[in-house]
Amino acid sequence: QVQLVESGGGLVQPGGSLRLSCAASGSISGFRAKGWYRQAPGQERELVASIESDGSTDYGDSVKGRFTISGDNVKNKLYLQMNSLKPEDTAVYYCKANIRPTGMVWGMDYWGKGTLVTVSS
């Protein structure tokens, strides 16, 4: 019933920018954005950026200074602004959030199905 859906991926030239969005749908009572992950072909899934309930953020070394994570826990959305993109940023990007469905006391972590970002040319 509850799901996360990423959008905003696509093909971009090196040095370009993209903004990824993640939106939750379904019957939701609580939403807490947690972070973005990515998985490149033949690679393990890795943390790109995380965000805590106090607003603090953390970034992987490879994206530090280029990417910015933000969230809106009222609108049930999560964002990733990606600047100065490099070919090595090519990957499927996944969002993660803790969601409490309507009628439930406890929330649980949900993952999006991913959106492909390709940096080439």
Side-chain angles (χ1 to χ4, degrees), residues 1-118:
Q1 188 173 22
V2 175
Q3 64 178 23
L4 285 172
V5 180
E6 302 95 339
S7 63
L11 176 64
V12 63
Q13 295 182 344
S17 298
L18 283 176
R19 171 167 285 189
L20 304 184
S21 299
C22 174
S25 63
S27 298
I28 299 171
S29 295
F31 179 94
R32 178 172 294 176
K34 297 194 71 174
W36 288 90
Y37 296 73
R38 70 185 183 187
Q39 187 167 18
Q43 304 291 322
E44 298 290 327
R45 185 173 299 188
E46 65 175 349
L47 174 68
V48 176
S50 64
I51 185 167
E52 304 297 331
S53 59
D54 63 359
S56 63
T57 58
D58 196 17
Y59 297 89
D61 289 339
S62 64
V63 307
K64 192 179 305 179
R66 300 187 296 120
F67 291 9
T68 303
I69 186 173
S70 61
D72 188 334
N73 291 336
V74 175
K75 297 182 178 179
N76 305 327
K77 293 183 178 180
L78 180 62
Y79 304 96
L80 183 68
Q81 177 66 46
M82 305 185 295
N83 299 325
S84 302
L85 284 162
K86 305 175 180 179
E88 50 263 45
D89 294 320
T90 296
V92 177
Y93 285 71
Y94 302 87
C95 65
K96 182 181 179 181
N98 187 274
I99 300 174
R100 184 175 71 252
T102 299
M104 302 298 291
V105 177
W106 298 89
M108 63 179 295
D109 288 347
Y110 285 79
W111 289 86
K113 290 182 171 59
T115 185
L116 177 63
V117 173
T118 303

